[in-house]
Amino acid sequence: MRQKKDAPLRSDAQRNRERILEVALAELTRSADAPLSSIAKKACVGQGTFYRHFPSREALVLEIYRHEMRQVADSAAPLLESREPDRALREWMDRLARFAMTKAGLADAIRQATSAPGQPAKPGHTPVTEAAELLLRAAEEAGTIRPGITADDLFLTIGGLWTIDPHTDWQPRAARLLDFVMDGLRVGAPGR
């Protein structure tokens, strides 16, 4: 019996899918040409299971990108529930930096998956942009950042993250850059 396209996966199928994504992220970050058979083997799934979830390399790469982007976006609201808005924004930027490093590591695989004629386009950043706006508006309303900062402003400001080599010890440098950005966002905040 075939499952409907939008039906939720059984728990074992969901675990298999998540394991494949986790292994594929690591393997494709190391090498854009990592064999799919090697990814399936390291994820402890058979070829049939692998291809049921991801019928092509392109489908796998784009799903990794979407999955990582969704995780960053989905973390915004829970952070606001458990932290002050400016702290939630700063912690979310750390998650965004990890996503940036993942994206940089996968850049060759993403380029290969989206550059051939007839291949799907790279997914847009809408969920991440909406999450950034949510955090920025909450921090602005709390008076902890200057008013009027948009998600576009934030992304332009932190764009330097995308130039850091993901194969180096990038975390301390990213943390310094993001602390610098937060310091700038706080200047002129009415609650400071």
Side-chain angles (χ1 to χ4, degrees):
M1 179 174 162
R2 288 205 64 181
Q3 228 176 349
K4 282 195 209 169
K5 184 121 178 120
D6 294 334
L9 295 174
R10 295 184 334 254
S11 61
D12 60 330
Q14 184 63 33
R15 281 190 302 274
N16 286 340
R17 183 179 187 284
E18 289 174 8
R19 199 167 45 249
I20 292 167
L21 287 171
E22 181 181 325
V23 170
L25 172 61
E27 294 301 308
L28 292 171
T29 297
R30 274 193 275 280
S31 170
D33 298 319
L36 298 183
S37 59
S38 172
I39 293 170
K41 185 175 180 180
K42 288 181 180 181
C44 300
V45 299
Q47 295 288 327
T49 298
F50 181 92
Y51 284 106
R52 256 191 313 278
H53 288 284
F54 305 104
S56 67
R57 174 177 294 277
E58 293 78 17
L60 174 63
V61 169
L62 293 176
E63 185 54 28
I64 291 169
Y65 184 80
R66 278 187 208 96
H67 179 74
E68 293 296 307
M69 189 171 29
R70 172 80 359 223
Q71 294 221 326
V72 171
D74 288 350
S75 68
L79 285 170
L80 277 175
E81 292 172 6
S82 61
R83 290 159 183 71
E84 293 297 318
D86 60 330
R87 297 283 174 210
L89 175 61
R90 178 61 185 84
E91 191 170 325
W92 185 80
M93 287 193 303
D94 284 333
R95 292 173 190 210
L96 184 63
R98 283 193 300 275
F99 171 67
M101 293 304 105
T102 297
K103 181 181 171 193
L106 280 173
D108 287 340
I110 293 168
R111 205 171 5 268
Q112 288 173 11
T114 59
S115 64
Q119 295 300 335
K122 185 171 76 172
H125 295 98
T126 302
V128 173
T129 302
E130 290 170 357
E133 285 292 344
L134 174 71
L135 290 159
L136 289 167
R137 296 301 62 85
E140 183 179 319
E141 288 171 19
T144 57
I145 67 169
R146 68 176 59 199
I149 303 298
T150 67
D152 285 342
D153 296 336
L154 178 66
F155 295 139
L156 284 171
T157 304
I158 63 175
L161 289 173
W162 277 261
T163 65
I164 299 173
D165 183 350
H167 303 295
T168 64
D169 184 23
W170 58 267
Q171 291 92 342
R173 190 166 193 196
R176 280 193 312 276
L177 290 171
L178 294 176
D179 286 343
F180 180 70
V181 169
M182 279 306 298
D183 289 346
L185 289 173
R186 289 181 176 124
V187 171
R192 290 275 168 197

